[in-house]
Amino acid sequence: LDPYSGYIAPDELAAFERRSRGEFSGVGIEIGMQGGLLTVIAPVEGSSAAQAGVLAGDTLLSIDGQKLEGRSVFDVEEMLVGSPGTRVHIEVRHHGERETSKLNLVRGPVHLTTVRGFRRDPSGAWDYMIDRDARVGYVRVSNFRDNTMRDFDAALTELLDDGAAALILDMRFNPGGLMQQAVAMVDRFVDGGVILSTVTRRRAVDEYVAKREGTIDNLKLVVLINGNSASAAEIVAGSLQARGRAEVVGERSFGKGSVQHLIHLVGHKAAVKLTVAYYRLPDGRIIHRTDKNAHTELWGVTPDVGIALDEREVAAIQESRRRVDGSLWCEIPISHQSIPISHHVGSTPSPELVRDRQLEEALVLARHSD
């Protein structure tokens, strides 16, 4: 079987189902398989892993002293969850480095806020307007959970009430989540036609079609992705791009577009998580990187405007996000504006500046709204 399939034992099933609903205790690491290596797609923002310095692109080498060679993504996910307050020791290698890092993480409830703005106002609430003069909004979606579209719609309503003409949708470092939430997000911006289809081994197809009701068609869209945008994030970026509804900026996405079904065994005491299909975009391409298409252009989402960041830039952006997520007020300088980054309660404002070239380009495109 592929690395995303596995058997769920009776004593694991209840915890697995809670985790699927977004209610679980763990360290907050989303895992994928890349080049045969167990790779961190992204740490969950605000989690123990993120605070300890786990980065997107890290290779996961061991958990509690157990080497992970030959283990599936599913096996590793099960090793990382556990009771709140318990500790787990992991060994990772940061991308591009030879030395490894050993980290001691504490399991706890994973923070599931998935919709964030560009800065916080003095009250701590998110401000979704990145450029008020140009009427450009900004929404960062870090995951797709049951409450994602509820919070996303609330942010959209606030932006439209403020007169937004364009929206930057930032899905960098978004490891995915619930497909239904991704389809609903695309549906918010297209008024008909196919959003997504699934293709099985027997070529059977399920189609998800947009509806006119509730469509927002007067908002220009620019989508940000990178190599750690996966699954549901790739659905949103790829479908909006294929439909000509959004311009995509950044780097080619991760390439995880497989459909897993949870199949309960007799008595619902155990289950099998099984990959049964691939996601296909409206232009006919599948998202998933397979052995057959790995050396082609036929997987993932390729940006309309490609901008590659080096490791220092990526690390600085991730650090700035950790700061703003835990601060009362923060801004990131865009287009060479000198704006202070972050300032925690009771601390001195930091003079450090972060330049985000991908976001700068997205802002240029968004400012030229039709």
Side-chain angles (χ1 to χ4, degrees), residues 226-253:
N226 63 8
N228 302 104
S229 305
S231 185
E234 294 176 281
I235 290 172
V236 174
S239 186
L240 290 173
Q241 181 190 53
R243 295 292 303 273
R245 185 62 181 86
E247 293 178 277
V248 179
V249 176
E251 298 168 79
R252 191 179 189 178
S253 61

Side-chain angles (χ1 to χ4, degrees), residues 58-327:
D58 284 357
T59 300
L60 190 58
L61 302 172
S62 71
I63 298 175
D64 288 333
Q66 298 183 50
K67 297 296 183 182
L68 301 179
E69 293 180 9
R71 291 186 178 270
S72 70
V73 171
F74 180 82
D75 290 337
V76 172
E77 288 175 343
E78 291 301 300
M79 295 171 72
L80 290 172
V81 298
S83 301
T86 59
R87 293 184 177 273
V88 59
H89 304 272
I90 69 170
E91 183 181 9
V92 300
R93 179 183 292 113
H94 297 317
H95 180 70
E97 296 185 5
R98 299 181 63 180
E99 300 298 320
T100 65
S101 298
K102 295 183 178 180
L103 304 174
N104 182 11
L105 309 180
V106 179
R107 295 182 178 98
V110 176
H111 188 53
L112 295 178
T113 299
T114 62
V115 176
R116 296 169 169 86
F118 179 63
R119 62 175 71 80
R120 292 185 187 272
D121 64 23
S123 73
W126 287 109
D127 182 355
Y128 299 104
M129 195 69 82
I130 188 172
D131 186 337
R132 291 193 176 276
D133 291 338
R135 298 187 298 150
V136 178
Y138 171 95
V139 175
R140 170 162 46 107
V141 180
S142 60
N143 212 304
F144 288 86
R145 301 290 186 189
D146 284 330
N147 61 355
T148 297
M149 278 308 295
R150 180 199 68 194
D151 295 344
F152 184 70
D153 281 339
L156 275 181
T157 298
E158 183 176 323
L159 283 170
L160 293 172
D161 288 345
D162 283 347
L167 171 65
I168 297 171
L169 179 57
D170 191 343
M171 295 190 298
R172 294 174 296 177
F173 310 104
N174 182 326
L178 297 177
M179 176 269 290
Q180 294 86 349
Q181 295 283 301
V183 169
M185 187 171 290
V186 176
D187 194 12
R188 194 64 75 240
F189 300 107
V190 297
D191 60 6
V194 175
I195 294 173
L196 181 73
S197 57
T198 58
V199 184
T200 71
R201 187 180 302 172
R202 297 177 181 174
R203 297 294 184 264
V205 175
D206 289 325
E207 287 189 339
Y208 299 86
V209 179
K211 58 185 182 298
R212 174 61 190 168
E213 181 183 359
T215 300
I216 299 171
D217 53 14
N218 60 345
L219 199 63
K220 180 170 183 176
L221 297 178
V222 181
V223 178
L224 281 167
I225 61 171
N226 63 8
N228 302 104
S229 305
S231 185
E234 294 176 281
I235 290 172
V236 174
S239 186
L240 290 173
Q241 181 190 53
R243 295 292 303 273
R245 185 62 181 86
E247 293 178 277
V248 179
V249 176
E251 298 168 79
R252 191 179 189 178
S253 61
F254 186 83
K256 181 186 182 298
S258 56
V259 184
Q260 280 85 41
H261 281 180
L262 186 65
I263 304 170
H264 286 93
L265 304 181
V266 176
H268 282 233
K269 294 181 179 179
V272 172
K273 181 185 178 187
L274 190 65
T275 296
V276 297
Y278 293 132
Y279 292 128
R280 187 168 66 184
L281 296 172
D283 59 7
R285 295 180 300 114
I286 66 169
I287 293 171
H288 203 70
R289 177 170 46 185
T290 68
D291 292 339
K292 292 183 179 180
N293 70 14
H295 301 292
T296 73
E297 296 298 316
L298 300 177
W299 59 267
V301 179
T302 300
D304 300 299
V305 181
I307 300 176
L309 302 183
D310 62 34
E311 294 170 13
R312 292 179 60 186
E313 290 177 294
V314 171
I317 291 169
Q318 289 184 304
E319 174 59 24
S320 74
R321 289 185 171 192
R322 282 193 288 270
R323 292 186 178 191
V324 67
D325 291 345
S327 70

